[in-house]
Amino acid sequence: GGVSSGKRSFPCAPHSHYISFPRVPKQHSTMKTQVLLVAAMASSAGAFSVSNNQSARRQFLQTASTAAVSTILLPTIASAEIVVPEQSKEYEFPADWGLTYNYESDAAKVRTHMVTATGMAKGSERMEDFGKNLKKEMIEFVSYYRRFPQVAGKPSFSTLYTSINVLAGHYTSYGYKYPLPEKRRKRLYQEYAEIDKSLKRSR
C-alpha cells in the first residue's frame, strides 16, 4: 500500500558508516540526526524485534551497535536544556487510537499520546487502559512504517522509534500503572521536541 511520506526521502545507511566517527559535536544537528537514525535502526533487536530470519551473528552486531551509539548519543541528549512538566492525574482519554496510514498524521498522533503517557502521575484514571492502548498503537506504527525506506530514513521516524523503545521498555519492565522516572522523562521530552521540530519541517 502507498504511504504519504512527504516530499523527500532519506535512504537508510549501514550502521558502521556512522559509528566510526570519533566524537559528536554538541550543536551539530546533522550528525545528531545520523546517530539517532543508527540508534533507531539498530534497536530492531529491542522492544519491537520481529523474527525475520536474522542470524545470531547479525543480532549480536545489532546489540553491539546499539551500545556503541548510546555512548555517543546519551551525553548529547542530557546536555540539552528542557523543561520537564510535573506529573499530573488530569488528562483526556483519547478517542483516536490507531493508524490512518498517513505518516505525518500518525507520527504526530503517536507522539501526542506518548507525551500524555509521559506526564501521567501514579493513580491516574484509566492509566492501565491508556498504557495498553498506547503500546498496541506504538507496535502497529513501528511494524507498518519501518518497512518503507522513504519513511524509515526520516529524522522524525528514527527519533520516534527510539522514544517508542524507551516507553515500551518501561511498560514491559514496570507495567502500566507505574509512572516514568524523572531521568527517563527528561530524555523523552527532549526527543518529543526533536520529533515535533522534524515533523514541522516535513522531515
Side-chain angles (χ1 to χ4, degrees), residues 162-200:
T162 302
S163 300
I164 285 172
N165 273 290
V166 171
L167 188 52
H170 173 80
Y171 286 148
T172 299
S173 298
Y174 301 101
Y176 301 103
K177 296 181 179 181
Y178 191 83
L180 287 146
E182 286 304 302
K183 186 174 182 179
R184 192 166 295 171
R185 292 178 71 230
K186 183 173 183 178
R187 173 184 172 180
L188 284 171
Y189 280 121
Q190 172 63 33
E191 291 172 354
Y192 297 154
E194 293 168 4
I195 294 162
D196 184 54
K197 186 181 299 183
S198 294
L199 288 174
K200 287 179 178 177

Side-chain angles (χ1 to χ4, degrees), residues 126-143:
R126 300 187 68 184
M127 190 172 184
E128 185 173 11
D129 289 340
F130 188 100
K132 288 179 177 179
N133 276 281
L134 178 55
K135 189 171 184 179
K136 180 176 183 290
E137 182 178 72
M138 292 189 300
I139 291 172
E140 290 176 350
F141 177 85
V142 170
S143 297

